[in-house]
Amino acid sequence: MSGAPHIPVLLDEVMAALNPGPGSLVVDATFGAGGYTRRLLGAGATVHAFDRDPDAIAAGRAWGEVSEVPPRLVLHPRRFSELVEGLAEVGVASVQGVVFDIGVSSMQLDQAARGFAFSSDGPLDMRMSQEGESAADFLNGAAEEAIADVLYHYGEERQSRRIARAIVAARPLTTTGQFAQVVRKALGYRPGAPRDPATRSFQAVRIHINGELDELHAGLAAAERLLAPGGRLAVVSFHSLEDRIVKQFLREGAGAMPAGSRHLPMSGPVGEPVFEKPSGAIRPGPEEEARNPRARSATLRWAVRTAAPARNGPFSKGLAA
């Protein structure tokens, strides 16, 4: 693990949204380094923490709350799309709060060997669960058109075809440094530019390898099923693709008609609202951005669960603006 401290983003705002108290049951769907969980435990809540990264679960097992009787921290080495199944295994059918911190964690970014970042050279991996297809497997084996589609749809990269051609021409790629250099060369990057052009491509490949957007859809639906009336859902996202999904999910859950688009036709009648009081986009203030650069792209949205039955889906995919 990196020696750099993990700083949870929008921590005070997330806790205000969840409003945890002694005896409340809360799910931290993205445990990571446990920043939200520590504050939840400090408020007296019992926390069920999910993470598909075995390193995060291994670190959490050293916490004292795991060994309390009964435990106030219960760890689940699972994807957050499996919230319902994981909690059912320990006899939990409903909770008072669920929090998501979507995307790659600081502890993953800080480890060069995990291959998530181009700030330090490492194996071209990017797997949150440390199993299955790696970024190198995809970039070295996929067709040029498939790579271009991933870069365009998940990185919103307008030069996706040019980059895909360069990737295929440079194969095999084995390190993050090689991948970043191919992207930079394809786009004519000049050192000192305000934003490294490899950022969008790294985001896109990471999202694809980990199935992150499908996971988000499934995780939000699972949270809706688990939250008791009056329970609270809080979601922190870090780019527009994620935030669009969360915004649409909460709007539709609060009774808004699903928006149509060229990708997704207008849905049918809206049922009884399953969420109330959905917040707008909550952004970090200048002080938090100054002490934690990761916070600059963060957006929090939250809402309160009603007593209406959970929706059965399908839900809009957040493609409409």
Side-chain angles (χ1 to χ4, degrees):
M1 295 293 177
S2 168
H6 170 75
I7 305 174
V9 170
L10 290 165
L11 179 58
D12 291 338
E13 293 83 352
V14 167
M15 292 304 118
L18 293 173
N19 192 29
S24 58
L25 199 59
V26 182
V27 171
D28 185 343
T30 49
F31 178 60
Y36 296 138
T37 288
R38 287 193 184 278
R39 182 68 72 87
L40 290 165
L41 292 170
T46 293
V47 179
H48 285 262
F50 284 69
D51 206 301
R52 60 169 135 171
D53 189 334
D55 288 351
I57 295 297
R61 289 194 174 112
W63 291 27
E65 291 85 356
V66 173
S67 57
E68 291 183 17
V69 181
R72 286 203 307 121
L73 173 58
V74 182
L75 297 168
H76 300 263
R78 307 181 72 136
R79 298 168 177 262
F80 57 65
S81 58
E82 302 170 341
L83 294 181
V84 174
E85 296 84 352
L87 292 175
E89 288 181 355
V90 293
V92 174
S94 66
V95 297
Q96 284 74 55
V98 180
V99 58
F100 293 85
D101 179 359
I102 304 300
V104 65
S105 73
S106 297
M107 53 191 278
Q108 290 166 334
L109 286 170
D110 290 341
Q111 298 177 73
R114 298 298 301 274
F116 284 99
F118 50 80
S119 55
S120 55
D121 200 17
L124 194 51
D125 194 321
M126 301 192 191
R127 296 172 297 176
M128 292 181 178
S129 63
Q130 302 185 36
E131 59 184 16
E133 182 186 44
S134 69
D137 294 333
F138 170 67
L139 291 173
N140 291 322
E144 180 180 316
E145 183 178 356
I147 295 172
D149 286 346
V150 164
L151 299 180
Y152 181 79
H153 291 295
Y154 296 152
E156 299 179 299
E157 175 56 73
R158 294 181 179 180
Q159 302 297 324
S160 60
R161 295 188 183 281
R162 178 186 298 179
I163 296 170
R165 283 195 300 271
I167 288 169
V168 170
R171 295 197 295 207
L173 302 176
T174 59
T175 71
T176 55
Q178 290 174 336
F179 179 29
Q181 191 57 35
V182 167
V183 176
R184 292 167 184 154
K185 185 176 180 181
L187 298 182
Y189 172 63
R190 296 179 180 177
R195 179 182 174 92
D196 194 314
T199 302
R200 290 187 294 271
S201 293
F202 268 70
Q203 170 189 300
V205 173
R206 190 203 80 221
I207 289 173
H208 170 71
I209 290 298
N210 295 289
E212 292 179 38
L213 300 189
D214 288 338
E215 276 287 303
L216 179 54
H217 291 302
L220 292 172
E224 181 180 312
R225 290 175 59 189
L226 286 167
L227 283 166
R232 291 164 175 248
L233 171 64
V235 186
V236 176
S237 60
F238 289 89
H239 58 73
S240 60
L241 294 175
E242 297 167 341
D243 182 55
R244 199 175 302 148
I245 290 168
V246 176
K247 177 182 178 181
Q248 192 73 11
F249 178 82
L250 294 178
R251 286 185 71 252
E252 292 179 17
M257 179 69 73
S261 74
R262 64 186 178 91
H263 302 285
L264 193 71
M266 187 74 74
S267 298
V270 176
E272 187 178 358
V274 294
F275 287 106
E276 61 182 356
K277 305 176 183 176
S279 74
I282 299 171
R283 305 273 296 147
E287 291 185 3
E288 179 171 5
E289 290 186 2
R291 69 174 181 268
N292 184 8
R294 181 173 181 256
R296 292 173 186 164
S297 58
T299 300
L300 166 66
R301 295 183 187 273
W302 64 274
V304 179
R305 185 72 167 87
T306 70
R311 294 169 287 176
N312 292 321
F315 308 112
S316 295
K317 295 296 188 180
L319 293 167

